[in-house]
């Protein structure tokens, strides 16, 4: 069996770190392709190096630009590789434009498709990631789900064949890498334990509208009167702040480049709370038993609500001291063996 995997954006490298090692462990031939959607060192190769992912055999060099360009060019280049490699199965994970491109190539070439992290659904339906998820799930033959809720979401859309509950591969990575987290990183930033928050913001609806972005930055500034605010800047957010002339709001915040996995996890271990619009990061906060204020109208990780809170962009600071009303079970996203289950399923289904 030959598996052709396509990754390209930050969260996908994190998931690939688990799958990659499991393929090697179970003796499966995996050919890895990096689309190049994320191209800054600390958004891509930093993860490949620190998480010890095997070097991708193919690099497509597609830099994220518009949706159509990123998706279309990735399809054109990835199709050539699919013809050349003749894989038994194509594997994509998550919900990025790279995911969608891989899914469409597989569907058109009639190569079986595996979608890792299937069944996530959330509002608004117009967000690019939601479109990518829905399309990808509907053309997949094997769908591995991180939670019971995601299995139920697929059922509502009539997808029941090939659906398996396996847990979250990001939880696998969290457990496997725990001893490598940089637990002293807050000291490097001259921060005191439990006396700072970490904010990560990059969704289109939060950063592409100047009023919304300004509201968020104002809220972070307000919070900075109470405790330090660490704000690792995503390249999209950085560009927008400059474009909209909002730099003045950054003065009271502790701005950093995007952090690598070990730095961010180490910093999260000692934070008071997390403020984020990242899907993965709201779960990782929970794995540390830290609360996340989720700056989104909805979340695909609804099991965590009551521990995490959804926040309107202009009301983030009102939630900063709000205590949780429930503690979700620690194993809500599995037992840390999702990667093992996924590769075993692949072998059973396609070998
Ligand atoms: C993408 C994913 C999102 C994921 C996020 C993680 C899509 C539709 N969305 O969003 O689900 O949560 O990655 O980070 O695929 N840029 C750089 N350097 C980089 C990467 C991006 O400058 O290394 C710039 C791009 O040129 C572009 C902007 O940032 O202008 C947005 O990049 P893009 O990959 O389209 O979307 P993300 O917001 O990163």
């Amino acid at each position: 069996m030959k598996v052709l995997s396509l990754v390209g954006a930050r969260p996908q490298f994190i998931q690939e770190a688990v799958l990659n090692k499991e393929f090697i462990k179970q003796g499966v031939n995996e050919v890895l392709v990096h689309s190049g959607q994320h191209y800054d060192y600390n958004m891509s190769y930093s993860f490949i190096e620190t998480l010890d992912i095997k070097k991708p055999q193919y690099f497509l060099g597609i830099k994220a630009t518009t949706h159509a360009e990123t998706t279309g060019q990735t399809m054109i280049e990835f199709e050539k590789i699919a013809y050349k490699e003749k894989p038994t199965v194509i594997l994509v994970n998550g919900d990025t434009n790279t995911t969608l491109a891989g899914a469409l190539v597989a569907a058109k070439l009639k190569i079986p498709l595996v979608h890792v992290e299937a069944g996530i659904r959330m509002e608004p339906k117009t967000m690019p990631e939601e479109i990518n998820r829905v399309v990808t799930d509907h053309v997949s033959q094997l769908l591995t789900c991180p939670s019971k809720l995601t299995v139920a979401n697929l059922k509502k859309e009539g997808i029941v064949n090939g659906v398996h509950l396996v847990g979250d591969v990001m939880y696998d990575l969290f457990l496997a890498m725990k001893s490598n987290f940089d637990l002293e990183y807050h000291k490097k930033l001259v921060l005191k334990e439990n006396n700072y928050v970490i904010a990560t913001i990059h969704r289109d609806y939060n950063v592409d509208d100047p009023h919304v972005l300004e509201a968020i930055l104002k809220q972070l500034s307000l919070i900075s009167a109470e405790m330090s605010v660490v704000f690792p800047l995503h390249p999209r957010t950085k560009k927008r702040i400059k474009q909209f002339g909002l730099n003045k709001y950054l003065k009271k915040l502790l701005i950093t480049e995007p952090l690598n996995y070990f730095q961010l996890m180490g910093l999260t271990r000692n934070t008071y709370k997390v403020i984020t619009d990242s899907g993965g990061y709201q779960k990782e906060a929970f794995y540390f038993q830290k609360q996340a204020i989720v700056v989104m109208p909805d979340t695909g990780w609804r099991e965590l609500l009551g521990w995490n809170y959804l926040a309107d962009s202009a009301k983030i600071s009102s939630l900063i001291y709000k205590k949780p009303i429930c503690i979700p079970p620690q194993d809500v996203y599995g037992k840390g063996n999702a990667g093992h289950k996924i590769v075993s399923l692949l072998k059973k289904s396609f070998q």
Side-chain angles (χ1 to χ4, degrees), residues 9-11 37-40 43 64-65 67 95-97 128-129 132 202-203 234-236 239:
R10 189 166 54 168
Q37 177 177 341
H38 284 177
Y39 48 94
D40 288 357
M43 296 288 287
T65 48
H67 289 289
D95 55 20
T96 71
N97 290 335
E129 290 79 6
N132 296 345
H202 72 282
R203 291 279 160 215
H234 188 284
R236 173 199 278 269
K239 277 185 199 167

